Amino acid sequence: MRSIVVGAGLGGLTTATLLARHGHTVTVLEQSDQPGGKMGRATFDGCTFDTGPSLITMPFVLDAFFRHAGTSLREQLDLIPIDPACHYRWSDGTQLDIPFDAQGIPDAVGKISPSDVIPMRRYLDHSATIYRATKDVFIFSAFDGFVEFVKPRNLHLLPVLPRLRFTQTMHGLHRSTFHDRRIIQLMDRFATYNGSSPYRAPATLAVIPHVEFAYGAWYPRGGIYAIAEAFARVASMHGVDIRYRTAVQRIDHDGRRIRGVVTADGERIDADLVVSNVDAHITRTSLLGESLPEPSDPSTSGFIMLMSVDRRDMGLRHHNVLFSDDYRQEFTDIVDRRVPANDMTIYIARSAHTDDTQAPPDRENWFVLVNAPATGRRDGTWQQTAPAYAERVLQRMRRFGIDPSIREMQLRTPDDMVRMWGADRGSLYGQSSNSMFSAFLRPRQRSKRFPNLWYVGGSAHPGGGVPLVTTSGMLAAEGILGRPFPVQS
């Protein structure tokens, strides 16, 4: 079988590797000069920056992929636990460290809200129960939508359906569970892990806190980008031909089956099947030429500030969050009005705090992320306002006592995410999860129109984030090869 994978993101490399390991001749076509897709790397002023994901959870998924590829996580990466997992601040001066060990989280919460210790224990038990009941249906298996609930193998779900709380929002669940507004906001933040609003996303997403708390926050020595390098290395080990600086202009078909691709240079490459690691909507409109309306509710995008700063102790950890004063207004701005928030929540990652190879001794590498509306365009309209918005972010940071001495800074906006990744309007995770039906509407691995076209990556089932896009690649390989690649959690 001759297989073409469009895009060298983790989902595409996962499928490419497993297909090649089991006899396919695989070519990966990547428009940029490096693998990883949204998992990128930048270097300047002696500092190294991860420009995409900054936190690794569910390391067992990475280990499953490497094992199915004939190696192991331990052989390919050196994962370091991050403790505390995250440092939180509010503008009233409150600070909270969430420990790596989930058993310590209720007591940590109790330091700022004693009345929420017991509710937190109950919440974590609830989150774990939902995860265990649904993971093999909603995450680690091919998904057929509502039909899943009537399949004999999933009848065990029926008794727990009321506990999934499809009709309640995450914020509604948290408001009815916790007493302190700061703890409610802390838990609401997990909706942003797939680019959604806690005021619209279903309470089913309460599984997300369990994933981070139970499986921990991890960092691979050498940077998050070491994961992309490991995936590309293992793919090449199995004979995958990765062609960089090779953009695909269109996917050819005869109306019934995919026949191959045509590159931007006019080269036609025939194939028995094509796997697209490009956003599913962009694949259908730009590469297949279908006429489709824009998805009505894309996930959020991001405004990123990469900063080399003078090393100075400001009480920060590896992962840090500075919360806005009005979380509801922040999401009204970003999700409903589609404008940048004036009072924004700010995430700061400082990997040099854990890994001194990422910056010289006298400076630090700061990755600053603010949630932004998915309004990116190729015409670069975001670029015009980016410097002014960066100054607003810095002003907000100063209210928390964070005033970095910046040596050099680079900005990345939703426009860049359209240009660099082909992301629909710069959305980070494809379609949002802002409704109870979102999980059922996300594109499956196999195209409904073309039996030999497959989708992987954050816009496809089961969603965005390093573990899920890796899972999407394994699920596509399962469907193509007709053999399982199980994940043991």
Side-chain angles (χ1 to χ4, degrees):
M1 294 284 285
R2 299 164 299 170
S3 302
I4 292 175
V5 178
V6 183
L10 296 192
L13 290 174
T14 297
T15 306
T17 300
L18 297 178
L19 294 184
R21 179 169 165 79
H22 293 280
H24 284 225
T25 299
V26 185
T27 301
V28 176
L29 305 176
E30 168 57 47
Q31 68 174 354
S32 74
D33 59 0
Q34 61 183 15
K38 293 184 177 71
M39 182 181 283
R41 172 187 283 165
T43 57
F44 58 86
D45 193 34
C47 296
T48 301
F49 302 83
D50 289 306
T51 61
S54 58
L55 173 71
I56 299 303
T57 60
M58 303 171 76
F60 59 86
V61 174
L62 296 180
D63 189 50
F65 162 67
F66 286 126
R67 283 189 294 102
H68 293 312
T71 177
S72 69
L73 176 61
R74 184 180 295 275
E75 289 180 76
Q76 298 300 328
L77 296 166
D78 179 14
L79 287 188
I80 306 169
I82 304 300
D83 194 9
C86 195
H87 173 72
Y88 294 93
R89 292 190 186 186
W90 288 263
S91 63
D92 65 1
T94 303
Q95 298 188 21
L96 172 64
D97 284 334
I98 292 294
F100 176 87
D101 184 359
Q103 297 300 316
I105 291 173
D107 289 339
V109 165
K111 293 178 181 179
I112 68 171
S113 179
S115 62
D116 281 321
V117 173
I118 292 176
M120 180 59 76
R121 288 182 181 139
R122 291 172 177 166
Y123 179 90
L124 294 180
D125 287 343
H126 165 78
S127 182
T129 298
I130 298 305
Y131 172 78
R132 287 192 295 267
T134 61
K135 64 184 177 69
D136 291 329
V137 178
F138 287 97
I139 301 177
F140 298 123
S141 298
F143 190 66
D144 290 333
F146 291 103
V147 176
E148 292 290 349
F149 292 109
V150 297
K151 290 182 178 179
R153 69 180 185 185
N154 295 330
L155 293 180
H156 69 279
L157 277 178
L158 295 179
V160 301
L161 281 180
R163 302 190 66 182
L164 298 185
R165 306 191 187 198
F166 286 114
T167 60
Q168 187 178 23
T169 66
M170 277 192 81
H171 177 72
L173 171 63
H174 297 152
R175 187 178 59 184
S176 66
T177 301
F178 303 109
H179 301 88
D180 193 293
R181 64 169 181 81
R182 295 165 298 185
I183 305 306
I184 295 171
Q185 189 174 28
L186 168 69
M187 302 310 294
D188 278 356
R189 175 177 173 263
F190 285 95
T192 67
Y193 276 42
N194 65 9
S196 304
S197 163
Y199 302 96
R200 294 173 58 182
T204 318
L205 296 187
V207 298
I208 297 177
H210 169 76
V211 166
E212 179 169 320
F213 294 162
Y215 297 112
W218 300 84
Y219 169 85
R221 192 177 303 279
I224 301 291
Y225 192 70
I227 298 174
E229 293 177 316
F231 274 53
R233 182 170 60 247
V234 173
S236 296
M237 181 177 73
H238 288 293
V240 175
D241 178 18
I242 307 176
R243 301 187 191 178
Y244 299 109
R245 302 183 185 87
T246 306
V248 171
Q249 184 178 66
R250 72 175 186 270
I251 298 175
D252 268 356
H253 60 90
D254 61 10
R256 296 173 299 173
R257 293 186 64 84
I258 300 299
R259 296 303 181 188
V261 304
V262 176
T263 70
D265 293 333
E267 179 186 5
R268 176 182 171 81
I269 306 175
D270 294 331
D272 297 301
L273 64 90
V274 169
V275 178
S276 179
N277 196 181
V278 179
D279 179 277
H281 177 74
I282 299 299
T283 299
R284 295 182 64 187
T285 55
S286 297
L287 300 184
L288 289 169
E290 296 183 31
S291 179
L292 299 171
E294 286 188 332
S296 60
D297 196 9
S299 70
T300 56
S301 186
F303 180 79
I304 296 172
M305 303 160 63
L306 305 176
M307 306 189 303
S308 67
V309 306
D310 291 330
R311 187 178 293 271
R312 183 159 54 93
D313 185 8
M314 287 177 272
L316 297 175
R317 310 291 193 262
H318 187 134
H319 300 289
N320 310 270
V321 173
L322 315 177
F323 275 119
S324 66
D325 292 327
D326 189 339
Y327 219 34
R328 185 181 291 274
Q329 183 60 50
E330 181 178 357
F331 284 95
T332 296
D333 290 342
I334 296 168
V335 176
D336 299 328
R337 298 179 59 225
R338 301 286 176 89
V339 297
N342 187 49
D343 177 14
M344 71 291 287
T345 295
I346 303 168
Y347 166 73
I348 305 170
R350 305 159 56 244
S351 65
H353 179 77
T354 300
D355 184 353
D356 60 12
T357 68
Q358 301 299 286
D362 63 340
R363 69 201 73 162
E364 296 179 347
N365 58 339
W366 285 26
F367 171 93
V368 179
L369 171 68
V370 173
N371 290 320
T375 54
R377 300 291 179 188
R378 289 191 178 275
D379 60 13
T381 52
W382 251 97
Q383 307 304 111
Q384 302 170 21
T385 59
Y389 194 63
E391 181 55 36
R392 286 164 61 185
V393 174
L394 292 170
Q395 290 174 0
R396 178 69 184 168
M397 290 168 59
R398 295 184 190 111
R399 293 189 58 186
F400 292 84
I402 308 300
D403 189 11
S405 175
I406 302 172
R407 299 168 55 96
E408 189 173 341
M409 178 167 64
Q410 293 183 7
L411 305 179
R412 299 197 176 186
T413 74
D415 291 342
D416 295 309
M417 295 163 197
V418 172
R419 176 179 54 82
M420 296 168 63
W421 307 327
D424 177 31
R425 287 163 285 177
S427 65
L428 295 178
Y429 308 98
Q431 193 77 352
S432 74
S433 294
N434 283 332
S435 83
M436 63 179 289
F437 301 110
S438 299
F440 303 97
L441 300 176
R442 189 174 289 276
R444 312 296 179 241
Q445 266 58 57
R446 193 171 196 170
S447 166
K448 293 181 179 179
R449 180 180 175 188
F450 301 105
N452 60 337
L453 173 64
W454 299 76
Y455 296 109
V456 298
S459 67
H461 169 72
V466 172
L468 298 192
V469 299
T470 302
T471 299
S472 81
M474 288 191 283
L475 291 175
E478 283 187 3
I480 294 167
L481 295 169
R483 59 176 296 155
F485 295 102
V487 175
Q488 300 296 327
S489 62

